[in-house]
Amino acid sequence: MKILAPSPAELTRGRAATPIAFIRAIVTGYRLRGMDPASALAQAQIPSALLDDPSARVTAAQMELMSGAAMQALDDEALGWFSRRLPWGSYGMLCRASLTAPTLEVALKRWCRHHRLLTEDIVFELTQRGGLATIGVTEHAALGELREFSLVSTLRYLLGYACWVVDSRIALTAAAFPFPAPAHADAYAYLFAGPARFAAESASIAFDARYLALPVRRDEKALQTMLQRALPLTVLQYRRDRLLVHSVAQILAADPAATHTAEDVAAQLNTSVRTLHRQLKEEGVSLQRLKNESRREHAVKLLLQTTKPVKQIAAAVGFDSEKSFARAFREWTGVAPSAYRTSIGSAP
């Protein structure tokens, strides 16, 4: 990875949310190599006294600069986690090897396979079951005092790259870690948005398997740009979710007669109303449009596949009266519900 360092103004700008424990882990990497981290700490504007305060936090920019300086000084993108160094450019190689994959599924399988060429101290595996995709980690070597930082960082690298390569947020359904909840456990909600479980059998993240079918949207030029500031992928969350429209449509179709307010839909998607509306707008649709499409599809199905009176169909798709349903149906199709049933039903 090529690193363009954050500016001095960026270092302390924004919320300090990264636990000092992760900075201490980088310092440990220096110590294990018999090297002094003072220069990296100074560049990141992190006072050494802060390392002794377990409740201290640093900004994402400070973490980015500290990590980048350490990777170059140690010539190890793994920062001392593994039994062998991962030379400068190792993770860039993984990104490039997956870039030509047609879908996220193929890209992730390549990443997992190629990571074993770098080290077998930990091994990644992508599995699918019951509509859920899981990336699990098997530990083949003792990671010692760097275990938490290693597992958290590698899973965030992989998740960040996956989001970037398909240009979409990947909403996690679960994240699991094989150690007790640390004092800074609240930071995990930022790193792995979704439920986090500690003291698990192994480390893993899980998400809707439908993301695996998303096409890879990046090319070599985009990769070159990304690698100049690759480390933010480990902390920044993507805003756009390309499965959002499909997920909203599923919620609406599951109960066509329900009101489906924005608050209700957002709650089921574990997001805010503001985020819901913004992301739908980015995809060129609105909640009302999706509600109309869902009602229309269900109404057409009932008109053509049942003999229910129009009044009952109106209620089944969420209308208070037959009159308001008929008016909406004319706007959707250009004809009245009864006329639609007659013309389509009698067509050869």
Side-chain angles (χ1 to χ4, degrees):
M1 280 186 265
K2 179 182 178 182
I3 304 297
L4 291 182
S7 68
E10 284 183 281
L11 291 178
T12 53
R13 185 188 303 151
R15 181 184 172 211
T18 303
I20 198 67
F22 294 165
I23 299 296
R24 285 204 305 268
I26 297 175
V27 169
T28 297
Y30 274 89
R31 178 173 54 79
L32 293 174
R33 297 280 167 79
M35 298 174 64
D36 186 354
S39 176
L41 288 168
Q43 290 179 57
Q45 299 182 26
I46 301 173
S48 57
L50 207 63
L51 299 174
D52 299 322
D53 180 1
S55 64
R57 303 289 172 101
V58 298
T59 66
Q62 287 175 299
M63 180 65 181
E64 179 187 356
L65 196 149
M66 182 73 185
S67 299
M71 287 177 182
Q72 294 184 66
L74 302 176
D75 191 23
D76 184 4
E77 290 191 348
L79 297 171
W81 307 328
F82 306 133
S83 55
R84 55 162 292 184
R85 298 183 186 189
L86 302 192
W88 193 254
S90 295
Y91 279 101
M93 180 192 72
L94 286 182
C95 294
R96 183 165 284 106
S98 303
L99 194 63
T100 57
T103 64
L104 179 61
E105 179 177 8
V106 177
L108 289 177
K109 286 181 176 179
R110 287 184 185 177
W111 179 288
C112 294
R113 183 171 66 253
H114 293 148
H115 196 276
R116 296 188 66 173
L117 300 177
L118 301 179
T119 179
E120 290 198 347
D121 288 3
I122 64 172
V123 172
F124 296 92
E125 183 180 15
L126 172 66
T127 57
Q128 294 184 62
R129 182 177 182 182
L132 202 64
T134 300
I135 299 174
V137 183
T138 301
E139 300 173 51
H140 292 298
L143 301 174
E145 56 191 313
L146 295 178
R147 189 186 192 202
E148 180 194 2
F149 188 44
S150 168
L151 294 175
V152 168
S153 297
T154 51
L155 279 174
R156 263 304 315 182
Y157 284 159
L158 183 48
L159 177 60
Y161 176 72
C163 291
W164 175 82
V165 83
V166 295
D167 190 24
S168 173
R169 182 172 69 93
I170 297 176
L172 297 183
T173 58
F177 304 94
F179 41 77
H184 48 270
D186 60 303
Y188 280 70
Y190 181 70
L191 294 169
F192 302 93
R197 180 168 57 94
F198 297 96
E201 184 176 340
S202 60
S204 65
I205 54 174
F207 51 89
D208 192 317
R210 290 175 298 168
Y211 284 107
L212 296 177
L214 291 178
V216 168
R217 296 176 177 269
R218 305 295 189 174
D219 57 18
E220 178 64 27
K221 183 178 180 180
L223 178 65
Q224 291 293 339
T225 301
M226 182 273 282
L227 290 178
Q228 292 180 358
R229 290 292 295 274
L231 289 171
L233 286 180
T234 65
V235 293
L236 300 180
Q237 299 289 343
Y238 255 73
R239 289 164 49 130
R240 161 178 272 172
D241 186 340
R242 293 188 179 276
L243 279 191
L244 182 70
V245 172
H246 185 68
S247 297
V248 171
Q250 283 192 316
I251 291 173
L252 300 178
D255 189 1
T259 304
H260 292 303
T261 65
E263 290 76 12
D264 292 338
V265 174
Q268 292 187 62
L269 293 172
N270 193 31
T271 190
S272 68
V273 172
R274 181 179 179 182
T275 298
L276 173 66
H277 284 310
R278 187 193 71 240
Q279 292 189 356
L280 287 176
K281 184 178 180 180
E282 289 174 352
E283 295 300 316
V285 297
S286 66
L287 180 58
Q288 188 58 53
R289 173 179 161 184
L290 293 177
K291 288 166 68 172
N292 289 342
E293 290 177 354
S294 178
R295 286 177 168 181
R296 183 188 64 218
E297 289 175 8
H298 192 54
V300 166
K301 181 179 179 180
L302 292 177
L303 284 169
L304 299 183
Q305 297 182 9
T306 74
T307 57
K308 288 183 177 182
V310 172
K311 185 175 182 178
Q312 290 184 18
I313 293 176
V317 296
F319 283 86
D320 294 332
S321 69
E322 181 179 350
K323 184 177 180 180
S324 59
F325 168 64
R327 182 168 57 250
F329 196 85
R330 286 193 191 94
E331 293 178 357
W332 298 336
T333 65
V335 297
S338 56
Y340 186 90
R341 170 180 267 170
T342 301
S343 61
I344 301 298
S346 60

